[in-house]
């Protein structure tokens, strides 16, 4: 088997990432040498990959998850362009893993030809190295205002000649109109590559949906390759924070007599929010994302997660009253955790000439340390231990660093080189490491201590919870859904032979580009 496929979507969060991962998993099970690809991702959830030169680089976390679905280690070429929004008007550009620029909508147009060239070169290398490449689009291919310079949706499909399938989220409503409209807004050459549809997150009687599927086929000349049911098991490694509801996952009943309630502040520029998913895999741990001060007051453990804009999000905490709620929680001796940007917010002061360019601003003052910012971003995988013999692995992505700290306060983690990382002071814990709670022993120890500090003496961690196994189960669920609910024979033909000939043009269409 050889070829490729573009998974496009009617909207952001329609299911492109999970469908791409599911198709990758299905092909991997068939013995196909398959790789994922997303030419350009816009997300503050990223994973660290060690590049060919030994340095750490970033790709979208969804592409790291898709790599795992293929049985592969993450590769910088799987997501050559990553845009990390720092505000509503500007994004950091990460090119083949390295931050190279910060752009606005206007300046991005000037940079786009270089980004497209890099993306196409990475794809060419993947095509040479793998039998099949499954590409994920971005947003919607019908964003006609952006079509002229597109290299991630129909621009990519046109470049390769590969077929595209369009996935839509029926749970949001309007799925048939959005699918028809997606095709009808494209120019003839783009429409010739749109080969069919997949409906995502369906709940109910499939027979009630059949008349709509038949009419969609009649009016577009394109089939629906399957209907994926809603699954509560698909919550790990969400593409971005838009995918989160109030409670993460499916909390299992506690092993002890009490629950541990965790409130995670949903910052405006939250980054690597997937850190708290590891906590949510533990039985008896209920993890909520919130912007309500009252919910912090009721929580056992409060988490300040990562942020792409530490100083701006800290100002937002103060404006919303959340900062006062965080401080009251800490003053009561209840456990508080800061991760990366959230850790930086806990400092006495933050000197930031890089992200916000506001100079020195006061932090929350919960931990006795000072934070500085430097132009070059720290991007690396990290290994260490907590206490005697409790290994911890994580990764770092930050401009901020601890410029000074009270030497009397012990670090959280002893790194492999003997240095210390993070800080623990009473009930307050801070670390720059993302992914640390995926280390099962460390997570269990942390939650046990958090429960003690919160007075939840009836809480007990499970002895056998494995985050890695939970992630593998989630990927297997995706592969099962594709095998059971999609026309895999038709998908196989699409990948091998390309778009079906003679697909009809749906007016009005965009002018030929």
């Amino acid at each position: 088997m050889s070829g490729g496929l573009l998974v496009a979507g009617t909207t952001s969060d329609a299911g492109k990432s999970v469908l791409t991962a599911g198709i990758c998993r299905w092909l991997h099970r068939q013995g196909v040498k398959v790789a994922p690809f997303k030419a350009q991702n816009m997300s503050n959830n990223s994973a660290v990959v060690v590049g060919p030169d030994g340095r750490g680089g970033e790709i979208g976390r969804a592409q790291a998850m898709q790599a795992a679905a293929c049985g592969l280690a993450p590769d910088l070429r799987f997501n050559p362009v990553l845009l990390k929004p720092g505000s509503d008007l500007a994004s950091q550009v990460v090119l083949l893993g390295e931050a190279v620029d910060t752009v606005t909508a206007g300046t991005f147009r000037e940079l786009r030809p270089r980004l497209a060239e890099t993306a196409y070169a990475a794809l060419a290398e993947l095509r040479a190295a793998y039998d099949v490449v499954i590409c994920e689009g971005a947003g919607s291919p019908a964003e006609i205002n952006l079509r002229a310079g597109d290299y991630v949706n129909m621009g990519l499909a046109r470049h390769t000649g590969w077929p595209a399938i369009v996935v839509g989220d029926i749970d949001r409503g309007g799925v048939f109109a959005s699918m028809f409209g997606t095709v009808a807004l494209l120019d003839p050459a783009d429409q010739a590559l749109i080969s069919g549809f997949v409906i995502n997150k369906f709940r109910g009687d499939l027979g009630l949906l059949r008349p709509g599927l038949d009419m969609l086929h009649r009016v577009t000349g394109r089939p629906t390759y399957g209907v994926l049911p809603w699954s509560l098991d698909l919550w790990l490694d969400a593409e971005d924070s838009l995918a989160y509801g109030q409670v993460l996952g499916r909390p299992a009943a506690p092993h002890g007599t009490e629950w541990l309630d965790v409130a995670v502040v949903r910052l405006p520029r939250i980054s690597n929010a997937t850190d708290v998913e590891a906590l949510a895999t533990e039985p008896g741990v209920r993890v909520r994302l919130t912007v309500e001060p009252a919910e912090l007051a009721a929580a056992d453990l409060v988490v300040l997660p990562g942020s792409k804009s530490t100083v701006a999000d800290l100002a937002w905490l103060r404006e919303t009253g959340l900062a006062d709620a965080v401080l009251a929680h800490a003053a009561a001796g209840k456990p508080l955790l800061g991760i990366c940007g959230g850790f930086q917010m806990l400092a006495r002061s933050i000197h930031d000439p890089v992200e916000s360019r506001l100079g020195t601003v006061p932090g929350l003052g919960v931990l006795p340390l000072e934070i500085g910012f430097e132009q070059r971003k720290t991007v690396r995988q990290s290994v260490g231990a907590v206490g005697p013999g409790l290994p911890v692995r994580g990764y770092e992505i930050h401009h901020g660093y601890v410029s000074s700290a009270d030497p009397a306060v012990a670090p959280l983690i002893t790194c492999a080189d003997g240095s210390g990382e993070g800080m623990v002071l009473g009930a307050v814990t801070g670390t720059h490491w993302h992914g640390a709670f995926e280390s099962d022993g460390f997570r269990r120890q942390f939650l046990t201590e958090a429960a003690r500090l919160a007075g939840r003496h009836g809480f007990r961690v499970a002895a056998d919870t494995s985050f890695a196994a939970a992630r593998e189960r989630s990927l297997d669920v995706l592969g099962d859904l594709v095998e059971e609910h999609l026309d895999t024979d038709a998908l196989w033909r699409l990948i091998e032979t390309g778009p079906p000939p003679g697909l009809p043009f749906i007016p009005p269409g965009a002018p030929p580009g």
Side-chain angles (χ1 to χ4, degrees):
M1 186 185 196
S2 64
L5 177 71
L6 172 68
V7 177
T10 56
T11 62
S12 293
D13 199 31
K16 296 185 296 291
S17 296
V18 294
L19 180 56
T20 299
I23 293 173
C24 285
R25 190 65 154 195
W26 160 62
L27 290 170
H28 176 59
R29 287 172 172 176
Q30 310 308 309
V32 176
K33 190 177 180 184
V34 58
F37 180 76
K38 185 160 185 170
Q40 174 188 296
N41 199 347
M42 178 174 276
S43 177
N44 280 330
N45 278 345
S46 58
V48 172
V49 178
V50 177
D53 59 0
R55 292 190 300 175
E58 295 178 75
I59 64 171
R61 192 170 179 91
Q63 280 62 66
M65 178 265 288
Q66 291 159 0
C70 298
L72 300 173
D75 187 313
L76 295 176
R77 297 172 298 179
F78 294 165
N79 177 209
V81 181
L82 175 62
L83 304 181
K84 305 190 74 172
S87 71
D88 291 342
L89 300 175
S91 293
Q92 185 180 69
V93 178
V94 178
L95 189 62
L96 286 175
E98 185 175 355
V100 297
D101 206 348
T102 298
V103 296
T104 63
T107 57
F108 179 72
R109 294 191 196 96
E110 301 169 6
L111 187 61
R112 192 160 47 194
R114 175 189 172 192
L115 303 182
E117 181 181 358
T118 301
Y120 288 155
L123 179 58
E125 292 182 12
L126 295 178
R127 294 178 71 175
Y130 294 90
D131 299 327
V132 174
V133 181
I134 303 299
C135 304
E136 178 188 341
S140 163
E143 290 166 350
I144 51 180
N145 56 313
L146 303 175
R147 178 61 184 90
D150 169 53
Y151 61 92
V152 62
N153 288 307
M154 300 316 297
L156 178 71
R158 192 92 72 88
H159 176 79
T160 58
W162 285 346
I165 58 175
V166 178
V167 58
D169 179 358
I170 197 170
D171 197 57
R172 294 183 173 188
V175 71
F176 294 118
S178 59
M179 285 178 162
F180 178 86
T182 295
V183 180
L185 283 173
L186 300 177
D187 72 21
D190 286 349
Q191 286 196 25
L193 300 174
I194 300 289
S195 303
F197 309 101
V198 171
I199 288 182
N200 190 30
K201 299 183 184 177
F202 179 69
R203 294 187 262 197
D205 182 354
L206 190 58
L208 297 177
L209 195 63
R210 180 57 56 191
L213 301 178
D214 293 342
M215 179 175 285
L216 183 65
H217 195 175
R218 287 197 303 271
V219 298
T220 67
R222 293 158 173 86
T224 297
Y225 291 111
V227 178
L228 296 176
W230 176 277
S231 175
L232 290 173
D233 294 317
L234 300 179
W235 58 275
L236 288 176
D237 294 307
E239 168 67 8
D240 54 47
S241 59
L242 290 176
Y244 289 121
Q246 282 285 317
V247 177
L248 294 189
R250 304 174 63 184
H255 275 222
T257 59
E258 289 188 282
W259 288 79
L260 187 69
D261 194 54
V262 181
V264 182
V265 178
R266 187 170 182 162
L267 300 168
R269 297 296 169 189
I270 190 170
S271 67
N272 285 69
T274 47
D275 284 329
V276 296
E277 291 179 345
L279 304 180
T281 60
E282 285 288 345
V285 179
R286 185 170 47 232
V287 180
R288 296 172 289 133
L289 278 85
T290 183
V291 293
E292 298 296 333
E295 293 193 349
L296 301 194
D300 299 315
L301 166 65
V302 168
V303 181
L304 288 177
S307 168
K308 184 64 184 68
S309 301
T310 299
V311 170
D313 279 358
L314 177 57
W316 174 83
L317 277 182
R318 291 188 164 113
E319 292 165 4
T320 57
L322 285 161
D324 291 336
V326 169
L327 292 172
H329 183 91
K334 298 174 74 175
L336 173 63
L337 169 65
I339 303 173
C340 200
F343 173 38
Q344 295 164 8
M345 294 178 193
L346 300 178
R348 289 171 174 162
S349 65
I350 303 169
H351 182 68
D352 176 19
V354 177
E355 284 184 352
S356 69
R357 301 180 183 178
L358 291 178
T360 301
V361 299
L364 294 176
V366 179
L367 290 176
L369 55 87
E370 313 290 327
I371 295 291
F373 273 67
E374 55 187 3
Q375 286 289 342
R376 186 167 183 83
K377 185 189 291 190
T378 297
V379 181
R380 63 190 174 201
Q381 295 179 342
S382 303
V383 180
V386 173
L390 192 62
V392 183
R393 290 184 174 274
Y395 58 97
E396 298 176 61
I397 308 172
H398 52 89
H399 288 282
Y401 65 97
V402 177
S403 58
S404 66
D406 187 333
V409 181
L412 171 66
I413 300 168
T414 301
C415 302
D417 62 4
S419 63
E421 203 290 319
M423 180 175 284
V424 182
L425 182 62
V428 182
T429 302
T431 178
H432 271 125
W433 286 19
H434 296 292
F437 295 101
E438 295 177 19
S439 298
D440 297 326
F442 172 55
R443 181 182 65 253
R444 294 182 194 124
Q445 182 190 76
F446 174 81
L447 290 174
T448 298
E449 178 64 7
R452 184 189 71 80
L453 292 166
R456 297 293 185 187
H457 302 298
F459 173 81
R460 297 289 182 273
V461 294
D464 57 353
T465 303
S466 166
F467 183 81
R471 175 173 284 153
E472 278 298 301
R473 284 194 300 272
S474 180
L475 294 172
D476 282 334
V477 168
L478 286 172
D480 292 343
L481 288 174
V482 167
E483 288 189 24
E484 294 169 13
H485 298 280
L486 298 192
D487 185 346
T488 52
D489 289 340
L491 290 179
W492 192 283
R493 288 193 299 272
L494 272 183
I495 293 168
E496 283 202 303
T497 64
L503 291 170
F505 172 72
I506 309 301

